[in-house]
């Protein structure tokens, strides 16, 4: 370990000490997260300009920073499956989903898919407005290598039909799915927990004593899991600081500058889609400003971590602070990990399809082609994993279905991390919006909780 690496680590420890002091002084959770984000950006740029993004010093320093950043994400991923399982089961034992489970599930999935279709249209509009084409991107060694990798992955992965994707959501082996082994494991765990919940209701009518014992066990496990979630979420500012510092320090700013037009077009589409989320909330009769204030911490985390799955505990906590019932919050958060991700499965593959279309002689303005792209994107949005790389998986599905060269999906590899940050934040916002709107439509939303500015996650952090 060199002297400079030690200095970098000491500076990081100093910044973490500052965040700890803010916590001790009871500075609000959202302010600490925002401070961590700002410090990470400044420190990351400082490291980038002092050492260079590809230097050995930066590489080794990032490894040490990963103990905090990647370690935090791993802790969140650790609790995802237990949280999903026990929360859905607990919703049944607490009699919160017994009457409207079919309607609630249908609404959540319907909103997720519908907003993904709208996101695809927004991505298409942005691509056409900025006149983006694949031929405008210079293919260097990294792009060619990435393209070959994607071609191989596409050959190994046969695109599934819509009915086949539905079957993939079912839990053939729930114990395997509890390990998160499949992209659709989260949804499979939700279905398995729902079956157990329905079975509990049947036992409750015929054998109330056994049902009561089961309920006590579930309630006890639920209390422990939620306590673990709270302990992990307290680490959020430190995780955000480390992740953001590494991201900025290792970014290829020259490539970002060359592909600035593509980055701007992507974020223009992401912002427009986020505004559409706010419009949906407004149409539902809710104040969008309140939503913005309460969801800020989880969006910051999703932005820095690039992991929808890692953001799930914070997602559910945030929905609860918005007045979304526990069961709906868990359904929306869990379904949102594998169905209808507005950023990764909506905007991104649609933009790629329009960019690549001219290279195969397809008119990107052809109405039938545009409709086909939107439909394919919506259908393909099933089963997209809520971790880094989900957008690539979605792009492969869409491009394969449209008979387009999948290798061209590797053109934006140099700016992929930067764009993926915004996509992940939008995915999480779409998930929370579906839970919030569903709660309002089914008249399950706790209105007083939504408007209560003291009932936010930072009160527990």
């Amino acid at each position: 370990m060199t002297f400079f690496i030690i200095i970098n680590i000491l500076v990081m420890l100093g910044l973490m000490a500052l965040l700890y002091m803010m916590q001790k002084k009871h500075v609000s959770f959202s302010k600490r997260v925002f401070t961590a984000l700002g410090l990470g950006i400044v420190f990351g740029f400082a490291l980038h300009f002092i050492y260079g993004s590809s230097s050995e010093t930066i590489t080794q320093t990032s490894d040490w920073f990963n103990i905090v950043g990647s370690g935090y994400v791993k802790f969140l991923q650790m609790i995802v499956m237990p949280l999903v399982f026990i929360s859905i089961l607990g919703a049944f034992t607490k009699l919160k989903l017994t009457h409207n489970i079919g309607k609630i599930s249908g609404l959540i999935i319907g909103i997720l898919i519908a907003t993904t279709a709208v996101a695809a249209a927004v991505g298409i509009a942005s691509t056409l407005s900025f006149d983006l084409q694949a031929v405008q991107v210079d293919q260097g060694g990294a792009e060619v290598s990435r393209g070959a990798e994607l071609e191989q992955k596409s050959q190994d992965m046969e695109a599934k039909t819509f009915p086949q994707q539905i079957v993939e959501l079912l839990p053939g082996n729930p114990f395997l799915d509890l390990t998160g082994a499949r992209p659709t494991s989260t949804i499979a765990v939700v279905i398995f927990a729902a079956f157990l919940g329905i079975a509990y209701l049947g036992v409750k009518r015929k054998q109330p004593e056994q049902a009561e014992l089961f309920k006590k066990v579930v309630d006890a496990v639920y209390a422990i899991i939620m306590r673990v979630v709270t302990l992990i979420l307290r680490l959020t500012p430190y995780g955000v600081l480390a992740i953001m510092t590494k991201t900025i320090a290792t970014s290829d700013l020259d490539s970002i500058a060359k592909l600035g037009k593509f980055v701007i077009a992507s974020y223009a589409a992401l912002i427009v889609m986020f505004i559409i989320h706010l419009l949906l909330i407004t149409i539902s009769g809710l104040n969008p400003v309140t939503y913005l204030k309460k969801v800020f911490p989880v969006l910051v985390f999703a932005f820095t971590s690039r992991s929808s799955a890692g953001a799930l505990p914070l997602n559910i906590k945030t929905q609860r602070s918005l007045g979304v019932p526990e069961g709906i919050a868990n359904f929306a958060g869990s379904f949102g990990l594998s169905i209808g991700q507005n950023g990764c499965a909506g905007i991104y593959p649609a933009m790629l399809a329009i960019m690549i279309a001219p290279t195969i002689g397809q008119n990107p303005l052809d109405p039938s082609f545009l409709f086909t792209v939107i439909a394919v994107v919506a259908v393909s949005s099933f089963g997209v994993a809520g971790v880094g790389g989900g957008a690539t998986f979605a792009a492969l599905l869409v491009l394969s279905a449209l008979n387009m060269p999948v290798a061209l999906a590797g053109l934006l590899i140099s700016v992929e991390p930067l764009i993926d940050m915004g996509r992940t934040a939008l995915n999480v916002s779409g998930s929370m919006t579906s839970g919030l709107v569903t709660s309002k439509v089914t008249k399950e939303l706790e209105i007083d909780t939504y408007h209560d500015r003291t009932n936010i996650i930072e009160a527990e952090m």
Side-chain angles (χ1 to χ4, degrees):
M1 185 184 298
T2 67
F3 172 76
F4 295 107
I5 294 174
I6 294 174
I7 292 297
N8 297 338
I9 294 173
L10 289 176
V11 172
M12 174 60 75
L13 291 175
L15 295 176
M16 291 173 64
L18 175 62
L19 293 174
Y20 181 73
M21 289 174 59
M22 293 176 67
Q23 180 180 343
K24 284 298 182 181
K25 292 182 178 180
H26 304 290
V27 176
S28 69
F29 180 70
S30 60
K31 287 181 180 178
R32 282 185 281 129
V33 171
F34 185 75
T35 300
L37 178 65
L39 291 174
I41 292 173
V42 173
F43 189 29
F45 272 121
L47 292 175
H48 181 95
F49 288 117
I50 292 172
Y51 303 107
S53 62
S54 58
S55 70
E56 185 64 24
T57 299
I58 287 293
T59 301
Q60 294 186 32
T61 298
S62 297
D63 284 341
W64 285 97
F65 289 176
N66 270 342
I67 295 176
V68 178
S70 297
Y72 172 62
V73 173
K74 282 186 176 295
F75 278 139
L76 284 167
Q77 292 172 337
M78 169 190 75
I79 203 65
V80 166
M81 288 304 177
L83 174 63
V84 170
F85 178 75
I86 201 65
S87 296
I88 296 298
L89 189 53
F92 281 90
T93 60
K94 296 172 185 177
L95 299 177
K96 293 186 177 180
L97 280 178
T98 54
H99 303 297
N100 297 321
I101 183 170
K103 182 178 180 181
I104 287 170
S105 300
L107 272 173
I108 291 173
I109 294 174
I111 292 171
L112 288 171
I113 295 176
T115 52
T116 300
V118 173
V122 171
I124 290 171
S126 180
T127 306
L128 294 174
S129 298
F130 283 85
D131 190 28
L132 301 182
Q133 295 185 29
V135 294
Q136 298 170 346
V137 184
D138 294 329
Q139 294 194 50
E143 286 77 14
V144 173
S145 176
R146 178 61 169 168
E149 179 186 333
L150 293 178
E151 279 190 327
Q152 181 61 46
K153 184 177 292 188
S154 178
Q155 292 172 4
D156 296 338
M157 177 193 69
E158 182 182 354
K160 292 182 174 61
T161 63
F162 184 72
Q164 289 173 332
Q165 291 183 57
I166 294 294
V167 173
E168 280 294 308
L169 301 178
L170 304 179
N173 183 346
F175 299 102
L176 176 66
D177 286 319
L178 283 168
T179 68
R182 301 188 301 144
T184 56
S185 284
T186 307
I187 302 302
V189 169
V190 171
I191 295 172
F192 177 56
F195 266 102
L196 290 180
I198 294 170
Y200 159 79
L201 296 177
V203 172
K204 184 179 180 181
R205 288 193 297 269
K206 298 180 179 179
Q207 298 172 292
E209 292 182 2
Q210 284 83 348
E212 183 61 27
L213 176 61
F214 181 78
K215 180 182 183 300
K216 289 180 179 179
V217 171
V218 170
D219 290 346
V221 174
Y222 179 82
I224 296 297
I225 293 297
M226 292 310 297
R227 182 59 183 170
V228 173
V229 168
T230 299
L231 292 175
I232 294 173
L233 291 184
R234 285 179 178 173
L235 302 174
T236 300
Y238 310 102
V240 167
L241 170 64
I243 293 169
M244 200 65 207
T245 300
K246 178 194 172 185
T247 300
I248 297 296
T250 57
S251 294
D252 185 348
L253 298 184
D254 290 334
S255 295
I256 292 174
K258 291 178 182 177
L259 295 173
K261 184 178 179 182
F262 296 86
V263 175
I264 293 171
S266 296
Y267 272 89
L270 293 170
I271 291 170
V272 168
M273 194 60 210
F274 183 68
I275 292 173
I276 291 174
H277 289 170
L278 298 181
L279 287 175
L280 285 174
I281 292 168
T282 303
I283 292 171
S284 299
L286 300 171
N287 186 344
V289 176
T290 301
Y291 172 81
L292 281 172
K293 290 180 178 178
K294 291 193 174 186
V295 304
F296 177 76
V298 65
L299 294 185
V300 168
F301 170 73
F303 183 83
T304 53
S305 69
R306 297 169 53 201
S307 173
S308 300
L312 180 62
L314 201 55
N315 179 335
I316 293 173
K317 279 268 189 177
T318 301
Q319 287 192 65
R320 294 293 294 122
S321 75
L322 290 167
V324 177
E326 199 167 64
I328 295 179
N330 280 282
F331 267 66
S334 303
F335 281 133
L337 295 185
S338 296
I339 296 176
Q341 294 190 352
N342 291 182
C344 290
I347 289 175
Y348 182 65
M351 291 185 71
L352 278 179
I354 299 303
M355 287 172 58
I356 294 172
T359 65
I360 61 172
Q362 172 64 55
N363 178 12
L365 296 175
D366 181 9
S368 63
F369 172 70
L370 295 176
F371 177 79
T372 301
V373 170
I374 293 174
V376 169
V377 166
V379 172
S380 298
S381 68
F382 277 78
V384 176
V387 294
T392 300
F393 180 74
L396 291 179
L397 287 176
V398 171
L399 296 181
S400 297
L402 295 172
N403 294 317
M404 289 183 167
V406 297
L408 293 180
L411 290 175
L412 304 180
I413 183 175
S414 57
V415 294
E416 182 70 15
L418 180 61
I419 297 174
D420 194 43
M421 295 166 78
R423 290 194 309 239
T424 306
L426 185 67
N427 294 342
V428 174
S429 176
S431 169
M432 292 188 293
T433 299
S434 69
L436 188 58
V437 173
T438 296
S439 300
K440 191 65 168 61
V441 171
T442 57
K443 299 181 180 179
E444 300 272 354
L445 184 68
E446 300 161 10
I447 297 294
D448 292 338
T449 302
Y450 182 85
H451 294 293
D452 184 1
R453 295 187 178 183
T454 63
N455 189 359
I456 53 179
I457 58 172
E458 62 189 31
E460 303 177 14
M461 306 300 165

